[in-house]
Amino acid sequence: MKTIKLTALLALLGAASLAQAAQPKLGVQLWSVKDEIKQDFEGTLAKIGKLGFQGVEFAGEFGPYKNDPGGLKAFLDKNKLQCAGAHMHFDALADERFEATTAFYKVLGCSNLVISMDARGKTVEGSTEMSKQLTALSGKLAGKGMRIGYHNHAEEFAGAVGSTPWDVIAKNTPKASIMQQDVGWTTYAGKDPVAYVKAYPGRTVSTHFKAKLAEGTAGTPIIGQDKTDWAGLARAVGQVGGTDWIIIEQEEYPNGMGQLESVAASLKGLQAVLAKLPKP
């Protein structure tokens, strides 16, 4: 009888552990504080850590650590921050730069390399061609223990649901590649971000939570002060999207708020939403 109870208890603890591990971590895209980080790189990252973020997604700014990934990793560790990912253009992963780029991020413990934008993503034809390059990079990065990702703007969601450039990319790239949906731009384009998470299960490994108002929509571009279904979105990325990282991105700073101040407001809004969700 004791053995049965112990086995059941261990199973329960294991299930709880798995449920906890499945909870996405919270990060911030550093483009959100693009001016403040240039003025004070270390101070801004330290403040981000104190806000309660678990990681940062880089966007090409490394302050005094541009050529010192080891020093940057130590600084991140000191501030209890992980590298949630990195935005870049395709040229950073061209043959002549591939080894240097991947080596830099390998030291940071970063496995999610995301193409931030590409002109080909604006059309179905261009996206079809670009998908070939994403597929090739997916295979190449797998050997490094890394994944390629692609991040949308409004143009990738133009057209009918199911046949947008975003759909084309998702359908023509490996499941291992990340469809990093920027839900602010999805909303701005008039599409449903929750439906798109569900359309491609397991592909939303990291996602940008950004409040962006579609034309004619009332509200403030701060998470929780707009009309986005953040609760539904949080459930979708956790249950269907396979999401490891929810990454807040702030591109608008309302009411005279500073960049980091706006990020903090969106984090507070998101935390309020997450606190109301039922525990797994």
Side-chain angles (χ1 to χ4, degrees), residues 42 46 65 71-81:
E42 292 183 332
Y65 302 102
L72 180 54
K73 179 64 166 63
F75 181 76
L76 291 175
D77 290 345
K78 177 183 176 182
N79 288 278
K80 297 181 174 58
L81 291 169

Side-chain angles (χ1 to χ4, degrees), residues 77-247:
D77 290 345
K78 177 183 176 182
N79 288 278
K80 297 181 174 58
L81 291 169
Q82 300 174 42
C83 180
H87 269 200
M88 62 193 63
H89 292 158
F90 276 110
D91 59 357
L93 294 170
D95 289 346
E96 64 274 15
R97 297 179 62 187
F98 184 83
E99 292 299 330
T101 297
T102 54
F104 184 92
Y105 289 110
K106 194 77 170 178
V107 173
L108 293 185
C110 173
S111 59
N112 301 331
L113 307 186
V114 181
I115 303 302
S116 58
M117 64 182 301
D118 189 274
R120 291 172 292 177
K122 296 179 180 180
T123 67
V124 167
E125 296 77 16
S127 293
T128 301
E129 180 61 31
M130 183 174 64
S131 294
K132 298 176 183 177
Q133 190 172 4
L134 289 168
T135 297
L137 283 170
S138 181
K140 198 173 179 181
L141 285 169
K144 301 281 188 181
M146 295 177 167
R147 295 173 288 200
I148 191 67
Y150 187 77
H151 168 271
N152 67 282
H153 290 79
E155 293 85 351
E156 283 84 358
F157 280 93
V161 171
S163 58
T164 67
W166 188 253
D167 292 293
V168 170
I169 297 167
K171 293 172 182 176
N172 289 279
T173 52
K175 290 184 178 180
S177 63
I178 303 166
M179 299 298 294
Q180 188 189 65
Q181 189 184 166
D182 182 318
V183 303
W185 282 117
T186 307
T187 301
Y188 184 80
K191 300 299 192 295
D192 181 358
V194 176
Y196 263 100
V197 171
K198 294 179 179 179
Y200 302 107
R203 300 292 300 274
T204 316
V205 175
S206 70
T207 180
H208 279 197
F209 273 33
K210 176 169 66 189
K212 190 168 183 64
L213 307 178
E215 291 186 25
T217 303
T220 303
I222 295 291
I223 292 176
Q225 298 179 31
D226 63 329
K227 305 300 182 183
T228 304
D229 179 13
W230 294 110
L233 190 58
R235 284 193 295 268
V237 299
Q239 297 172 4
V240 182
T243 302
D244 293 331
W245 285 98
I246 290 174
I247 298 172

